[in-house]
C-alpha cells in the first residue's frame, strides 16, 4: 500500500496533495518552453483543455510514483 | 436594384450571447468552488465563492493572471497580518494606526504599479483587515484564520481556472489584437491630415497615446494564457511600442511638411522637394510596417523581429498622495468605531479597507465608493430575498446552486455592460451578495446576523464616503502640475544624457504612458495647453534620442568628429548647428556614403521636429503659466 507522508514546515502539517499539486504546477510551467517549441497549442482544437489534461496527468503520475 | 439587409447582432434581453456565456461560466465556477469547499470542510467556504466573484474576468488569460497575483498577495497579506498582530496585539489603538499605515503603504504601492500588480498591492493591504482586524479580540486565531482564507482562495482559483478551461472561455489575444488593429487605424487616420497639411490637434495625439499605453496591463496578462503566451506578449508589446513610434513619426512628418513649405498641401509633393520630407515619410512608413509585423507575429504566435519592453510611468507624488489619503480615511473610520464602542465593528472596518483597496485600483476611486454605497443596499435586498424568501431554510446543495443562478448570472451580465456605473454595480453586487449570504454548511438562516452584516456593510461604506468627502483628492490642476514637473525633470535628464538606459522607442512609450496619466479632457483651454506642452516635450525628447541613436553609428568611423559635434548640438537643442552637421554629412554622402546620407536626413528631421515642438510649446507655456 502506497503511503503518503505529510510535509512539516515549522510544526505546520501540509497535506500531501498540496505538495503534489504544487510540484505538478512547477513541472508544468517548466515544460511550457518545450511545449511551445513542439507547437503544442497548434496540435489541439482546444489547447486550454489539452493543457489542463496534461497538468492532471502530471499530478496523477506524481501521486502514483512518489 | 438589389437591397441588402444588415443582420442585427444576436442578443438576448439586450445582452450579447458572450455576456450570458460569461455569466453562466462564473455561476458554474461559484457553485464548483462552494461544492469543493463544503466537501473539503473548509472553515471559510464563502471566501472561495468571493474569490471567484473577484476573479470574474471575461477572458481566460486575464483570470489566470489575476489568480496568480491573488495567491501571491494573500501570502504577503497573511504574513503582514501575523507580524502586525504579534507586535501590537496588546495595544489596540496602536495596532489600528499601524494597520492604517500598512493600507496607505499598499495603496501608494498600487499607485506606482498597474494592472494586476496594483491589484496585488491593494490585496496585500486589505487581507490584513480580513485576517488581523477581524480577529482583533482573538489574536491567537490569526494563523488559523490566515490558513483558512488561503485554502479557500486556492479552491476558488482552481475552480475558476478549471471552469474557464472546460467551458472554453475566450482567449485574450484575439480581443487585444483587434484593439491594436483599431488603434493602428486610428494612427493612420491621424496621419492623414498630415498628408493633406490639415491642422492636427494635440487632443487626438494625446488620446491615441493614452489608448495605446492603457493596453499595458492586458498585454502583460497574455503570458499566462497558453504555452505561446510569452511570445504573444512580446509581439503585443512590440506592436504597442511601434504604434507610439508611429504617432511620433506622423507628428514629425507634419512638422516637416509645415517647415518645408507651409503653403504645400500635398505631402508627396513636399517629399519631392526636401530630403528631410523624404526621410520623414520613409520613417513613417517604416513605423507602420513595424506595427504590421508586430500584429502578424501576435496572430501567428511568432517572436517579433524587434523586441521592445513597455516601461511604466507612474507619478510618485500622486501615488504618495493617494496612500496618505487612504490611511487618513481609515484612521477616521477606525476613530469613529473606537469612539462608538460598537460590538463586532471590526467587520465593518475590514469592509471599509476592502472598498478603499478596490477603489484605489479603479480609474475613479471616489466614483467607486459612490457605486459601492448604491450597491450595498441593493445587494442587501437581493441577498435577503435569496436567503429568506427563495432558500428559506433549505439544506440541499443543488437547491442552493439553482437559487444562486439568477443572482450570479444577472450580476455578471450587468458587469459586461458598457456603462461604467452599471458595470461597477454588477460586479460589486455579486461580491456583496456572497459576503452577506456567506454560504456555509449547514447554512444558519439567522436573521439577526444577516441584519448585523447589512448594517455593518452600509455603515462602513457610508462612513468611508463621508471620510472621502472630508479629505478630497488633489485637484486635476495639481496633478497636471506634478506630472508636468516630472516631464521637465526627465527632459533635463535626456539633455544631459543621464536618463534611463532605454531604447528610443521604449522611452517614447514611457513618455506616452505619462501623457496618458495627465487628467485632461481637452475640453478646456488649459487642458489643451497642458497636452500641447506635454506633446512638445514628447516630440523633442524622442527626436533627441533617435538622433543620438543614429549618430552613435558614426562613433567608430572617420566621421566621429561630426558625431561628437551632433551630440553637442542635440544636448543644447542647437538646431542650426544640427543642420550644419547634416550639410557636412551630405557632402560626405556625395562621395558615396549611404550611412552618412541616412544620418544627415535623420539630423535634419530632428532639427525640424525640435523647432516645431518649441514653436508649439511657447503659446501653451503662456496659457499654463
Amino acid at each position: 500500500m502506497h503511503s503518503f507522508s505529510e510535509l512539516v514546515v515549522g510544526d505546520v502539517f501540509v497535506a500531501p496533495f498540496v505538495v503534489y499539486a504544487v510540484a505538478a504546477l512547477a513541472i508544468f510551467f517548466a515544460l511550457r518552453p518545450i511545449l511551445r517549441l513542439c507547437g503544442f497549442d497548434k496540435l489541439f482544437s482546444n489547447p486550454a483543455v489539452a493543457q489542463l489534461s496534461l497538468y492532471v496527468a502530471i499530478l496523477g503520475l506524481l501521486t502514483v510514483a512518489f | 436594384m438589389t437591397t441588402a439587409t444588415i443582420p442585427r447582432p444576436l442578443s438576448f434581453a439586450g445582452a450579447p450571447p458572450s455576456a450570458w456565456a460569461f455569466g453562466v461560466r462564473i455561476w458554474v465556477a461559484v457553485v464548483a468552488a462552494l461544492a469543493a469547499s463544503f466537501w473539503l470542510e473548509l472553515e471559510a467556504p464563502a471566501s472561495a465563492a468571493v474569490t471567484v466573484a473577484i476573479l470574474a474576468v471575461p477572458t481566460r488569460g486575464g483570470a489566470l493572471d489575476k489568480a496568480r497575483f491573488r495567491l501571491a498577495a494573500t501570502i504577503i497579506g497573511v504574513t503582514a497580518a501575523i507580524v502586525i498582530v504579534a507586535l501590537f496585539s496588546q495595544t489596540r489603538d496602536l495596532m489600528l494606526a499601524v494597520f492604517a499605515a500598512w493600507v496607505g503603504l499598499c495603496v501608494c504601492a498600487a499607485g506606482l504599479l498597474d494592472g494586476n500588480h496594483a491589484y496585488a498591492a491593494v490585496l496585500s493591504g486589505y487581507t490584513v483587515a480580513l485576517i488581523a482586524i477581524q480577529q482583533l479580540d482573538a489574536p491567537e486565531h490569526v494563523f488559523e484564520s490566515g490558513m483558512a482564507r488561503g485554502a479557500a482562495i486556492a479552491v476558488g482559483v482552481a475552480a475558476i481556472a478549471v471552469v474557464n478551461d472546460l467551458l472554453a472561455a475566450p482567449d485574450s489575444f484575439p480581443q487585444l489584437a483587434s484593439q491594436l488593429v483599431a488603434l493602428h487605424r486610428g494612427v493612420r487616420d491621424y496621419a492623414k491630415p498630415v498628408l493633406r497639411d490639415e491642422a492636427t490637434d494635440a487632443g487626438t495625439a494625446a488620446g491615441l497615446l493614452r489608448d495605446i499605453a492603457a493596453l499595458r496591463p492586458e498585454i502583460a496578462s497574455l503570458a499566462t494564457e497558453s504555452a505561446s503566451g510569452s511570445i504573444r506578449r512580446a509581439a503585443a508589446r512590440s506592436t504597442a511600442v511601434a504604434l507610439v513610434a508611429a504617432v511620433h513619426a506622423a507628428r514629425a512628418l507634419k512638422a516637416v511638411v509645415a517647415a518645408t513649405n507651409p503653403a504645400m498641401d500635398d505631402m508627396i509633393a513636399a517629399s519631392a522637394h526636401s530630403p528631410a520630407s523624404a526621410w520623414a515619410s520613409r520613417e513613417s512608413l517604416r513605423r507602420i510596417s513595424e506595427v504590421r509585423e508586430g500584429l502578424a507575429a501576435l496572430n501567428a504566435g511568432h517572436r517579433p523581429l524587434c523586441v521592445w519592453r513597455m516601461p511604466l510611468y507612474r507619478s510618485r507624488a500622486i501615488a504618495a498622495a493617494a496612500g496618505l489619503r487612504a490611511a487618513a480615511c481609515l484612521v477616521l473610520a477606525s476613530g469613529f468605531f473606537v469612539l462608538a464602542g460598537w460590538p463586532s465593528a471590526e467587520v465593518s472596518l475590514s469592509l471599509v479597507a476592502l472598498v478603499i483597496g478596490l477603489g484605489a485600483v479603479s480609474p475613479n476611486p471616489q466614483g467607486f465608493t459612490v457605486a459601492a454605497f448604491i450597491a450595498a443596499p441593493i445587494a442587501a435586498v437581493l441577498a435577503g430575498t435569496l436567503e429568506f424568501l427563495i432558500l428559506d431554510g433549505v439544506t440541499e446543495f443543488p437547491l442552493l446552486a439553482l437559487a444562486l443562478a439568477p443572482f450570479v448570472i444577472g450580476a455578471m451580465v450587468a458587469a459586461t455592460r458598457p456603462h461604467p456605473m452599471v458595470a461597477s454595480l454588477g460586479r460589486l453586487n455579486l461580491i456583496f451578495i456572497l459576503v452577506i449570504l456567506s454560504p456555509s454548511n449547514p447554512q444558519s438562516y439567522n436573521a439577526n446576523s444577516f441584519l448585523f452584516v447589512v448594517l455593518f456593510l452600509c455603515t462602513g461604506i457610508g462612513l468611508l464616503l463621508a471620510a472621502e468627502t472630508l479629505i478630497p483628492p488633489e485637484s486635476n490642476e495639481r496633478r497636471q502640475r506634478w506630472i508636468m514637473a516630472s516631464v521637465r525633470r526627465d527632459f533635463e535628464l535626456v539633455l544631459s544624457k543621464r536618463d534611463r538606459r532605454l531604447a528610443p522607442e521604449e522611452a517614447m512609450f514611457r513618455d506616452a504612458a505619462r501623457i496618458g496619466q495627465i487628467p485632461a479632457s481637452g475640453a478646456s483651454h488649459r487642458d489643451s495647453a497642458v497636452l500641447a506642452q506635454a506633446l512638445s516635450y514628447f516630440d523633442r525628447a524622442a527626436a533627441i534620442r533617435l538622433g543620438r541613436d543614429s549618430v552613435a553609428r558614426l562613433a567608430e568611423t572617420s566621421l566621429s568628429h561630426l558625431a561628437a559635434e551632433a551630440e553637442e548640438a542635440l544636448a543644447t537643442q542647437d538646431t542650426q548647428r544640427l543642420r550644419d552637421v547634416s550639410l557636412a554629412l551630405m557632402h560626405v554622402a556625395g562621395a558615396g556614403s549611404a550611412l552618412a546620407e541616412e544620418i544627415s536626413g535623420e539630423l535634419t528631421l530632428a532639427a525640424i521636429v525640435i523647432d516645431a515642438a518649441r514653436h508649439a510649446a511657447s503659446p501653451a507655456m503662456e496659457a499654463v503659466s
Side-chain angles (χ1 to χ4, degrees):
Chain A
M1 182 69 189
H2 187 69
S3 68
F4 298 102
S5 54
E6 280 144 339
L7 178 71
V8 184
V9 185
D11 292 345
V12 177
F13 287 80
V14 180
F17 182 76
V18 175
V19 180
Y20 289 131
V22 173
L25 201 64
I27 294 172
F28 176 73
F29 279 112
L31 281 176
R32 279 182 88 173
I34 300 165
L35 297 181
R36 194 176 61 235
L37 288 176
C38 302
F40 185 82
D41 286 358
K42 290 174 187 129
L43 291 176
F44 300 93
S45 61
N46 191 338
V49 175
Q51 285 189 28
L52 178 67
S53 309
L54 180 66
Y55 173 76
V56 173
I58 297 169
L59 180 61
L61 279 174
L62 282 182
T63 314
V64 170
F66 299 99
Chain B
M1 193 178 83
T2 56
T3 56
T5 53
I6 300 166
R8 280 176 56 190
L10 197 63
S11 73
F12 178 67
S18 59
W20 290 101
F22 171 53
V24 169
R25 271 201 309 276
I26 299 305
W27 169 62
V28 173
V30 166
V31 170
L34 283 175
S37 306
F38 291 162
W39 180 61
L40 292 168
E41 297 181 6
L42 296 185
E43 285 171 45
S47 285
V50 173
T51 296
V52 173
I54 289 176
L55 298 180
V57 181
T59 56
R60 208 167 59 84
L64 277 176
D65 198 53
K66 201 170 181 181
R68 195 162 62 101
F69 282 101
R70 187 164 167 81
L71 278 173
T74 302
I75 294 169
I76 297 170
V78 169
T79 312
I82 292 169
V83 171
I84 290 173
V85 168
L87 293 175
F88 303 103
S89 61
Q90 302 301 317
T91 49
R92 184 199 58 188
D93 294 352
L94 192 56
M95 184 168 162
L96 287 174
V98 170
F99 165 59
W102 170 252
V103 170
L105 191 69
C106 291
V107 169
C108 176
L112 296 172
L113 302 165
D114 73 339
N116 288 330
H117 290 86
Y119 168 70
V122 294
L123 178 61
S124 306
Y126 71 73
T127 297
V128 175
L130 297 175
I131 292 172
I133 302 300
Q134 286 203 4
Q135 301 290 337
L136 203 58
D137 298 326
E140 69 275 13
H141 292 144
V142 163
F143 186 77
E144 287 95 326
S145 172
M147 285 298 120
R149 185 172 156 77
I153 288 174
V155 167
V157 165
I160 195 154
V162 171
V163 168
N164 273 346
D165 278 354
L166 294 179
L167 297 187
D171 283 338
S172 314
F173 88 86
Q175 198 187 341
L176 187 68
S178 64
Q179 282 173 291
L180 286 168
V181 167
L183 283 167
H184 183 205
R185 209 176 301 125
V187 172
R188 278 183 303 168
D189 287 347
Y190 173 68
K192 272 178 192 165
V194 177
L195 294 171
R196 297 188 203 104
D197 196 24
E198 289 175 10
T200 49
D201 63 284
T204 313
L208 278 169
L209 295 176
R210 183 179 296 132
D211 291 347
I212 298 164
L215 291 178
R216 192 181 181 278
E218 278 180 64
I219 291 173
S221 71
L222 279 181
T224 45
E225 196 163 73
S226 63
S228 57
S230 54
I231 299 280
R232 285 207 159 97
R233 180 180 60 181
R237 276 178 178 167
S238 297
T239 311
V241 173
L243 275 169
V244 171
V247 173
H248 170 71
R251 290 179 62 76
L253 189 54
K254 172 185 176 272
V256 169
V257 173
T260 310
N261 186 351
M264 199 166 286
D265 62 352
D266 185 355
M267 184 281 296
I268 293 157
S271 70
H273 284 76
S274 147
S277 298
W279 180 254
S281 50
R282 209 184 313 159
E283 187 70 0
S284 187
L285 290 172
R286 185 171 71 90
R287 295 301 185 189
I288 295 289
S289 78
E290 278 172 359
V291 175
R292 285 207 187 103
E293 277 166 14
L295 282 171
L298 173 64
N299 285 319
H302 293 150
R303 192 171 284 281
L305 293 175
C306 313
V307 179
W308 284 316
R309 289 168 298 165
M310 298 170 79
L312 175 69
Y313 169 80
R314 281 288 183 268
S315 163
R316 285 181 201 149
I318 293 175
L324 281 174
R325 189 164 169 263
C329 286
L330 208 53
V331 165
L332 276 182
S334 317
F336 177 84
F337 285 125
V338 167
L339 291 175
W342 293 343
S344 309
E346 60 269 12
V347 179
S348 203
L349 192 58
S350 57
L351 287 168
V352 170
L354 190 141
V355 176
I356 288 177
L358 291 179
V361 287
S362 71
N364 176 9
Q366 190 115 24
F368 185 84
T369 311
V370 172
F373 190 66
I374 299 168
I378 299 173
V381 171
L382 291 173
T385 309
L386 173 63
E387 190 168 358
F388 298 106
L389 291 178
I390 299 174
L391 291 171
D392 195 23
V394 298
T395 50
E396 290 84 2
F397 185 76
L399 291 178
L400 170 70
L402 282 176
L404 277 173
F407 295 93
V408 178
I409 297 172
M412 285 298 97
V413 169
T416 56
R417 305 305 295 161
H419 195 286
M421 188 50 127
V422 177
S424 292
L425 284 177
R427 187 165 291 277
L428 280 168
N429 252 310
L430 180 58
I431 296 172
F432 287 164
I433 287 172
L434 291 171
V435 167
I436 296 170
L437 178 69
S438 191
S440 56
N441 189 23
Q443 187 75 15
S444 63
Y445 296 104
N446 186 338
N448 194 29
S449 66
F450 169 82
L451 285 174
F452 264 115
V453 172
V454 170
L455 180 71
F456 286 138
L457 181 68
C458 295
T459 313
I461 296 171
L463 207 58
L464 177 61
L465 196 60
E468 285 188 350
T469 314
L470 276 175
I471 312 166
E474 64 281 358
S475 65
N476 278 353
E477 282 77 17
R478 179 172 288 183
R479 283 179 178 222
Q480 286 174 350
R481 271 204 303 277
W482 284 343
I483 294 178
M484 288 312 297
S486 138
V487 167
R488 281 188 282 271
R489 219 169 26 243
D490 278 3
F491 187 67
E492 290 301 322
L493 293 177
V494 171
L495 291 180
S496 58
K497 279 184 88 173
R498 283 184 290 126
D499 57 330
R500 293 169 64 184
R501 293 276 162 255
L502 296 169
E505 291 81 1
E506 292 172 348
M508 268 189 237
F509 185 88
R510 186 171 180 273
D511 290 350
R514 175 162 40 205
I515 291 172
Q517 297 285 305
I518 296 174
S521 60
S524 76
H525 183 59
R526 186 194 155 83
D527 284 359
S528 303
V530 168
L531 286 180
Q533 207 187 337
L535 281 167
S536 154
Y537 280 109
F538 167 78
D539 286 335
R540 274 186 282 167
I544 290 169
R545 289 193 193 104
L546 287 170
R548 271 194 187 134
D549 208 42
S550 62
V551 293
R553 288 185 289 168
L554 290 176
E556 300 296 320
T557 66
S558 58
L559 300 171
S560 57
H561 62 288
L562 287 176
E565 203 176 334
E567 280 272 6
E568 274 179 38
L570 286 168
T572 51
Q573 297 184 77
D574 186 346
T575 50
Q576 189 50 52
R577 201 167 163 197
L578 269 180
R579 286 188 174 91
D580 293 344
V581 175
S582 171
L583 274 176
L585 282 167
M586 275 302 277
H587 285 304
V588 179
S593 168
L595 180 67
E597 186 185 353
E598 191 182 319
I599 293 170
S600 165
E602 283 183 28
L603 290 181
T604 314
L605 183 61
I608 292 171
V609 170
I610 291 169
D611 278 341
R614 268 188 189 151
H615 179 70
S618 44
M621 200 89 83
E622 285 163 21
V624 174
S625 57

